Amino acid sequence: MIKLSKKVEGNLCTIYVNGILDYATMEPFNKEIQAIEEGTKKVIINFAELEFIDSTGVGSIINLVHEANTKHFEVELDGVSDFIHEILETIGVFQIMETLQKEGQ
Amino acid sequence: MYRREFAYDNSQSNGDVNKTLQREIKLAQNIQMKLLNGDKPKIESGEVSGVSIPARLIGGDYYDFYLLPNGKLRIVIGDVMGKGIPAAMLMILTRGAFRSASESTKGPGETLTAMNKALYADLRALGSFVTVLCAEWDPETDTLTYANAGHSLPIVIENDGDLREIPKVKGVMLGGLPESQYNENAIHLGEESLAYFYTDGITEAVNKDGDMYKMERLQDTLIQYYSLQVNEIEESVVQALDDFTEGVPQKDDITMVLLKISNGKTDITSYNSPILN
């Protein structure tokens, strides 16, 4: 189960993810990502209420990071628990974010 | 490119179409099982083995062995993003990349770099990725060298049953960045020690209360059974998972590879993959 909510303030878009981001729930998350408006300069994904993420969920995050690099907006992951942080760190998500953001500068 | 829409003979009933699809899925499952479960290399004074249990009919986990002309054995375990048929198709792609790369690269780090170069464009186009741990066992020096593309490190149990913390090595998953380079680390494996490679379907298996199996339970199970033969250790881990999950359906593919060093000098004597001259 996943619950999503979005807050837009100027060119900052924050998406709050509550529940599980996995194979069964990625569709609404991907739709929310696709609906990010043109002109957005920064997207914050708030994971404070994220309970679990599987490889498909991680794939959605990586695709967002690549899209941000192409469309020139910044992505930040906020409120990441130690457990989720370890998963993202092991897979290399933070390293991709760092590399692509350096390239984009 | 010409593309056919999914179509079938209108005279066929839904039941016929379902039967056709089921037969094709069954054939795909057979192909995957045969590719995954080929003969294992035989090691004198030691054993290697692997097993993969898909969560669905077919899965996206992968393991393989490749014997090199210099007598070293390259081992790989991987997890394709997603599940089912799409993941299985990418798993076959990964297998081909590993086997090609193993022939032309000097070590696990170079193997992963070559695999990433080969797979990056396809994986990015598909919005997918693969986590892979590649290792190389040298029976001459009793050294296990390993490199990591976003995967969990192996668990090593010493011959006295102690858990050994191995040096970390990090790397981005295959399909993450086009120019990824992969560093290596190495450890000496003593007699009767066990190196256990695994995918997260094991540690993230869930029971009726929603609790995960987690690393600690896996380590405890391995410490309890490490002195057995590799196939018995495999069975013990699968049984421990069954006992833990108590019939809760498996959500993710489960895969493990075991390298166990026994008494005396290790010698790889035979293998089913091509041996280069």
Side-chain angles (χ1 to χ4, degrees):
Chain A
M1 187 66 104
I2 191 169
K3 269 187 181 173
L4 300 165
S5 57
K6 185 163 76 173
K7 188 166 81 177
V8 179
E9 294 166 300
N11 53 20
L12 169 68
C13 173
T14 306
I15 297 171
Y16 297 85
V17 185
N18 186 328
I20 293 171
L21 184 55
D22 69 359
Y23 192 79
T25 65
M26 62 158 182
E27 206 61 41
F29 179 77
N30 288 344
K31 278 186 183 165
E32 201 69 78
I33 295 299
Q34 283 158 15
I36 293 171
E37 288 173 20
E38 270 187 46
T40 301
K41 291 288 176 204
K42 186 172 182 178
V43 174
I44 299 175
I45 308 293
N46 188 304
F47 279 153
E49 301 297 327
L50 180 69
E51 294 166 22
F52 178 67
I53 187 167
D54 77 348
S55 63
T56 316
V58 174
S60 294
I61 300 298
I62 292 163
N63 292 338
L64 170 66
V65 171
H66 277 278
E67 193 171 321
N69 189 49
T70 309
K71 294 184 177 173
H72 307 294
F73 63 84
E74 192 186 337
V75 176
E76 185 180 312
L77 306 182
D78 196 21
V80 181
S81 69
D82 290 346
F83 173 61
I84 305 287
H85 191 280
E86 195 181 329
I87 292 173
L88 300 178
E89 176 75 27
T90 300
I91 294 178
V93 174
F94 297 121
Q95 210 173 322
I96 293 174
M97 290 175 73
E98 199 178 310
T99 304
L100 292 183
Q101 280 186 3
K102 268 185 199 166
E103 278 179 12
Q105 280 169 0
Chain B
M1 175 183 159
Y2 291 101
R3 189 195 303 255
R4 283 187 198 279
E5 295 299 322
F6 179 72
Y8 57 90
D9 183 350
N10 285 335
S11 64
Q12 281 188 305
S13 67
N14 283 342
D16 290 338
V17 173
N18 283 342
K19 275 182 192 167
T20 304
L21 285 174
Q22 279 174 12
R23 192 169 61 243
E24 289 186 6
I25 290 168
K26 188 76 187 165
L27 288 170
Q29 184 187 29
N30 287 342
I31 289 169
Q32 187 177 52
M33 284 299 112
K34 278 186 182 168
L35 291 178
L36 266 179
N37 298 314
D39 293 338
K40 309 294 186 294
K42 288 177 184 162
I43 299 176
E44 275 186 17
S45 306
E47 301 171 290
V48 286
S49 188
V51 64
S52 187
I53 307 166
R56 299 179 177 203
L57 284 173
I58 50 180
D61 277 5
Y62 165 65
Y63 73 89
D64 204 359
F65 306 103
Y66 200 92
L67 180 62
L68 298 161
N70 57 13
K72 295 176 184 177
L73 179 69
R74 209 160 285 173
I75 300 166
V76 71
I77 185 166
D79 184 352
V80 177
M81 185 198 97
K83 294 178 180 45
I85 294 171
M89 291 170 75
L90 293 176
M91 172 247 156
I92 299 293
L93 207 63
T94 307
R95 183 182 191 269
F98 169 68
R99 293 211 158 198
S100 302
S102 287
E103 286 183 8
S104 57
T105 53
K106 287 179 189 163
E110 278 193 18
T111 298
L112 291 181
T113 302
M115 287 175 75
N116 187 57
K117 277 191 192 306
L119 295 172
Y120 179 81
D122 287 343
L123 290 173
R124 200 82 299 284
L126 298 167
S128 190
F129 67 86
V130 189
T131 69
V132 175
L133 192 291
C134 185
E136 187 171 272
W137 169 243
D138 184 346
E140 287 292 320
T141 61
D142 298 334
T143 304
L144 185 75
T145 306
Y146 51 96
N148 189 5
H151 203 83
S152 307
L153 292 177
I155 298 170
V156 175
I157 311 287
E158 304 271 23
N159 61 2
D160 54 3
D162 280 351
L163 184 70
R164 176 175 174 186
E165 192 163 334
I166 69 169
K168 285 186 179 170
V169 59
K170 286 182 182 175
V172 173
M173 79 294 255
L174 306 184
L177 290 169
E179 302 296 334
S180 289
Q181 298 289 319
Y182 296 93
N183 297 324
E184 294 176 353
N185 237 321
I187 53 167
H188 179 268
L189 286 181
E191 289 180 0
E192 295 182 40
S193 56
L194 170 73
Y196 180 88
F197 307 81
Y198 64 101
T199 59
D200 59 8
I202 295 177
T203 48
E204 292 173 2
V206 173
N207 68 8
K208 285 177 180 169
D209 298 324
D211 296 327
M212 286 187 186
Y213 192 62
K214 292 205 169 173
M215 172 72 97
E216 291 72 21
R217 287 189 183 88
L218 176 58
Q219 288 170 343
D220 289 347
T221 302
L222 292 173
I223 289 167
Q224 189 177 351
Y225 296 110
Y226 82 98
S227 61
L228 301 176
Q229 293 186 334
V230 283
N231 60 330
E232 294 171 324
I233 301 170
E234 278 174 5
E235 286 166 15
S236 301
V237 172
V238 172
Q239 186 59 53
L241 278 170
D242 284 347
D243 292 345
F244 176 76
T245 55
E246 292 184 293
V248 172
Q250 183 186 331
K251 281 179 71 179
D252 199 0
D253 305 327
I254 286 172
T255 300
M256 61 186 104
V257 171
L258 296 89
L259 167 66
K260 178 142 185 221
I261 314 304
S262 300
N263 294 316
K265 192 173 164 58
T266 307
D267 181 24
I268 300 165
T269 55
S270 71
Y271 185 55
N272 67 325
S273 72
I275 297 173
L276 305 173
N277 295 314

